[in-house]
Amino acid sequence: VSNTPGPASAMARAAAAEAFSRRLGAAVRGLSGAWYNRHMAAADRAIRARLPLVDLVLEVRDARVPATSAFELLHRRSPEEPDVRLLVALNKADLADKSETEKWVAFMKQRGCSCIAVNSHSRGSINELLNAVRGRIREIKLGVSDCTGTVLLVGIPNVGKSAIINAMHQIGRIGAAEKGKLKHATVSSHPGETRDISGYKVASHPNIYVLDTPGVLSPIFANDESGPRLVLTGAIKDSLVEEYEIAQFLLTVLNLRTECREWENLNLDGDKSSFADAIPTRSCHTKRQYSSDHTQDFIVRAVRQALSETIASFQGDLGNENDLRRLVEIQFTHLQNAFRISAETIEDRNKCVAVKLLNLYRTGRLGHYTLDHVPDFRQEVAA
């Protein structure tokens, strides 16, 4: 049976992959109490109390899942509560599909919501965000430059709020009298690390203070696809779900994309004509190669090659759930070799593969993917 992509087979493949999503989604739904604890509930109440007191709300979302990572608290407010002035930042744009991010920004603007794509590790990108915040504050303050504006930074866990506020603070304080005296927010790769609401000055003329808040994730998801996508992008701690299940879901996502098939043409000798554009490298400097470091270019290249070869040689039907599961199992076996894993038990080997594979995906080393599709604005308006 051919697994060549086509209009008809695409629907069947998506249906087969949905089985993995449903299984992971069921596991995530049963764990809502594990992340929405008393600390998150208290943060929820504190944020709600501050919303009417600030000039602007800066909502940070993950550009890979712009809809799924929406801050639910802003969208389930009662009609009696006052409207908030909102600016949406699609962070981690460097990890998402650029063309899809541009579509999402345009879609948000069509809906009347200010939106900007952001890479918190890029000084230029943070400057654009800071200028957008300044512009909104000036609009709100009717152009008065000698004033003070307050911004509430909100979002679900692990979308990069603290990284953004630190970068804004570092750029905005240059030349200010307070230079070097204001503290930074604590940045962590683990979701749910920020516990308190803290204020940071990020600009002068007008003076702008940003309130950083803990990430709050609703215990109720908008749809069945939300849970798996939030786990995959790191908004929910891996420790709450088996990494092996998350990595299985990731492989079904990769197997449905055309990018994996293009990796087959990579030059394993590292020829720049094929490799430089295909794999984001860690550094322009030559480094010693260690097989235990899965982030090194030659390991990433082997991982990509293993995935492309298993897809190209697979004789089953990717539209069949059992065949798709068999392909994923084959890929795990090949990835053990690609990652140079020699654990004793199959469970340990699979877990090592899963942890390393998820890390490569979340750092953009396996390509840039947007998991949420842009809605059709015309159909939405008609509805």
Side-chain angles (χ1 to χ4, degrees):
V1 179
S2 172
N3 61 5
T4 303
S9 62
M11 294 182 63
R13 293 197 309 273
E18 189 179 343
F20 288 84
S21 178
R22 284 197 305 268
R23 186 167 60 251
L24 182 57
V28 174
R29 281 195 302 273
L31 294 168
S32 60
W35 73 74
Y36 194 82
N37 51 30
R38 60 187 181 87
H39 297 291
M40 198 168 285
D44 193 319
R45 293 190 297 271
I47 293 171
R48 187 185 296 276
R50 285 165 174 78
L51 282 175
L53 306 178
V54 297
D55 297 305
L56 178 68
V57 175
L58 177 58
E59 180 189 2
V60 181
R61 301 188 189 184
D62 189 323
R64 296 168 295 180
V65 283
T68 303
S69 61
F71 192 60
E72 187 63 24
L73 189 154
L74 292 177
H75 308 287
R76 56 179 168 85
R77 290 160 54 79
S78 65
E80 294 77 21
E81 295 179 282
D83 293 333
V84 296
R85 298 180 179 93
L86 181 65
L87 171 61
V88 175
L90 300 182
N91 192 29
K92 304 187 181 184
D94 53 312
L95 302 180
D97 183 310
K98 183 179 179 181
S99 63
E100 289 297 307
T101 300
E102 291 173 349
K103 293 177 184 177
W104 269 106
V105 170
F107 172 76
M108 297 291 287
K109 290 180 177 178
Q110 281 181 314
R111 296 186 62 188
C113 178
S114 298
C115 182
I116 183 172
V118 179
N119 172 7
S120 62
H121 303 294
S122 166
R123 185 183 181 87
S125 181
I126 292 297
N127 258 320
E128 290 181 13
L129 175 60
L130 197 53
N131 288 335
V133 171
R134 284 195 186 101
R136 289 302 307 277
I137 291 296
R138 287 195 180 104
E139 289 176 9
I140 294 167
K141 298 296 183 178
L142 303 178
V144 179
S145 61
D146 188 19
C147 64
T148 297
T150 54
V151 180
L152 190 67
L153 190 70
V154 300
I156 67 172
N158 213 27
V159 290
K161 297 185 301 298
S162 294
I164 282 181
I165 200 171
N166 278 340
M168 292 175 67
H169 174 67
Q170 184 178 17
I171 293 174
R173 72 179 183 174
I174 293 176
E178 299 87 355
K179 183 177 180 180
K181 296 181 180 179
L182 298 180
K183 63 180 180 178
H184 286 230
T186 301
V187 179
S188 172
S189 59
H190 302 291
E193 289 296 321
T194 305
R195 290 288 180 86
D196 302 316
I197 295 180
S198 305
Y200 305 84
K201 185 174 183 180
V202 299
S204 301
H205 310 296
N207 295 315
I208 300 176
Y209 291 86
V210 177
L211 302 178
D212 188 20
T213 65
V216 175
L217 182 61
S218 172
I220 302 174
F221 296 134
N223 54 61
D224 293 337
E225 296 176 337
S226 297
R229 292 176 182 179
L230 290 171
V231 171
L232 181 56
T233 53
I236 298 173
K237 293 180 179 179
D238 290 345
S239 58
L240 298 178
V241 186
E242 288 288 338
E243 287 99 339
Y244 180 54
E245 289 191 29
I246 307 173
Q248 283 184 312
F249 174 61
L250 169 60
L251 286 175
T252 64
V253 171
L254 296 179
N255 289 334
L256 293 181
R257 305 296 180 108
T258 59
E259 288 89 338
C260 279
R261 294 171 176 82
E262 296 170 357
W263 293 342
E264 186 181 9
N265 300 319
L266 286 180
N267 185 334
L268 286 182
D269 294 327
D271 181 79
K272 291 185 178 180
S273 63
S274 61
F275 176 65
D277 294 334
I279 300 180
T281 56
R282 298 175 66 194
S283 171
C284 60
H285 302 293
T286 301
K287 293 185 177 182
R288 293 184 62 184
Q289 296 184 339
Y290 299 95
S291 60
S292 60
D293 182 1
H294 68 278
T295 64
Q296 295 220 74
D297 293 339
F298 78 104
I299 296 289
V300 177
R301 191 184 304 115
V303 168
R304 286 184 170 220
Q305 196 76 7
L307 293 176
S308 66
E309 288 178 352
T310 51
I311 295 175
S313 62
F314 187 64
Q315 297 301 309
D317 178 8
L318 295 186
N320 179 284
E321 180 184 340
N322 291 329
D323 281 357
L324 181 57
R325 181 176 290 106
R326 185 160 57 89
L327 171 59
V328 169
E329 291 173 354
I330 293 171
Q331 288 175 321
F332 262 90
T333 301
H334 282 254
L335 288 172
Q336 291 171 19
N337 296 327
F339 282 123
R340 277 72 166 175
I341 293 172
S342 58
E344 292 185 1
T345 67
I346 183 67
E347 291 79 10
D348 288 342
R349 291 197 295 272
N350 283 341
K351 181 171 182 177
C352 286
V353 168
V355 170
K356 294 175 184 290
L357 189 68
L358 290 171
N359 175 262
L360 293 184
Y361 163 74
R362 290 168 179 167
T363 54
R365 305 279 284 159
L366 295 180
H368 305 149
Y369 303 93
T370 300
L371 305 180
D372 286 345
H373 297 295
V374 183
D376 189 319
F377 182 74
R378 290 168 298 182
Q379 291 182 359
E380 191 174 85
V381 170

